[in-house]
Amino acid sequence: MANFFSASQEEQQEILLTFWQRFRILIVGALIAAAVIISVRDYVITYTDEAYFTSASLYQQYLETDDEGIGDKILINEPNSIYSDFVRLNEAKKNFINQETEQAIDMLEAVIANNPSSSVEFNPIRGAAQTRLAKIYLQEEDYEKIISVFGENQVLTSSMYELIGDAQNNLGRYSEARTNYMLALQNSTNQASRALINMKISDLEGGEIE
């Protein structure tokens, strides 16, 4: 191929023919592989779009009808999808209202398990499930479980710090409670919430914080 551009037309044809005879299997294989890759990519994109549309449509039906059967279908077909997490959060709410506490806890724990914690980025779905679960444990007076719900090395909101503070306060760990209430205060922009947190700090044994 070094002298290809200075060769005559016949020589060019001969070089191309020699090149084809030597590498035709590789060339044909490469063309077939490229065609297969393009076809698979197009199929995956189409399938993903169709699956997403189906899940979205099912979830819309679920919201409009509040049909538990449709919710179950979403959980079976797409157990790890965001729509399944939305269904679990809604079903947990209904379970709690109906005083089906264990079922509510199972649903919320499933959402948490489906959304790994991160020390860098806040996951609102995981956060919602954790907060609701902690509130259930607060009502059940299971304070140690409130603390374990949030664990370590994750981004926390003001509400989460406040719940941890409530748990520590009820366990008699007033210094830890104060620390978490202060963190809740720092992370809150809601005036009503800030006033409530300040009241909790004032009511702690040991007096007010300067």
Side-chain angles (χ1 to χ4, degrees):
M1 293 295 290
N3 298 319
F4 179 80
F5 290 105
S6 61
S8 66
Q9 184 174 358
E10 290 182 359
E11 289 173 329
Q12 291 175 13
Q13 291 175 347
E14 184 177 348
I15 292 171
L16 288 172
L17 181 60
T18 302
F19 184 83
W20 167 253
Q21 289 174 341
R22 182 177 298 179
F23 299 107
R24 64 181 183 276
I25 295 177
L26 291 176
I27 294 171
V28 171
L31 291 172
I32 292 173
V36 169
I37 291 170
I38 292 171
S39 298
V40 170
R41 184 200 63 184
D42 291 344
Y43 172 79
V44 169
I45 292 173
T46 302
Y47 175 80
T48 302
D49 289 344
E50 289 178 354
Y52 182 83
F53 178 76
T54 300
S55 297
S57 299
L58 274 177
Y59 183 67
Q60 185 63 34
Q61 282 183 267
Y62 169 75
L63 289 179
E64 292 172 352
T65 63
D66 201 26
D67 187 335
E68 189 174 343
I70 296 177
D72 289 339
K73 188 173 182 180
I74 295 172
L75 294 176
I76 293 171
N77 292 344
E78 300 286 340
N80 298 319
S81 72
I82 190 171
Y83 295 110
S84 287
D85 286 335
F86 287 155
V87 169
R88 292 184 183 105
L89 287 171
N90 192 56
E91 289 299 318
K93 179 181 177 181
K94 291 194 294 184
N95 290 146
F96 182 72
I97 291 172
N98 294 329
Q99 297 184 339
E100 299 169 341
T101 306
E102 289 303 318
Q103 292 91 323
I105 289 173
D106 289 343
M107 285 290 181
L108 295 171
E109 286 181 340
V111 175
I112 293 169
N114 200 36
N115 293 271
S117 64
S118 170
S119 60
V120 178
E121 187 174 328
F122 178 70
N123 184 325
I125 295 177
R126 179 184 175 87
Q130 287 177 306
T131 301
R132 295 182 187 185
L133 184 56
K135 288 180 178 179
I136 291 176
Y137 288 142
L138 185 62
Q139 180 173 296
E140 298 288 307
E141 299 183 358
D142 200 340
Y143 305 120
E144 290 288 359
K145 283 189 177 179
I146 294 174
I147 299 168
S148 67
V149 162
F150 298 110
E152 299 178 356
N153 301 321
Q154 74 168 82
V155 180
L156 300 179
T157 65
S158 175
S159 296
M160 293 174 175
Y161 281 122
E162 185 179 356
L163 284 163
I164 296 172
D166 290 341
Q168 299 284 19
N169 186 21
N170 281 285
L171 289 168
R173 302 169 186 168
Y174 304 118
S175 177
E176 291 91 337
R178 184 176 289 108
T179 298
N180 281 287
Y181 284 147
M182 292 299 292
L183 288 169
L185 200 60
Q186 291 172 15
N187 285 275
S188 177
T189 57
N190 183 284
Q191 291 303 316
S193 296
R194 289 176 62 85
L196 178 60
I197 295 167
N198 271 316
M199 288 176 59
K200 291 181 177 181
I201 293 173
S202 298
D203 290 340
L204 283 171
E205 288 194 10
E208 296 186 11
I209 296 295
E210 294 294 334

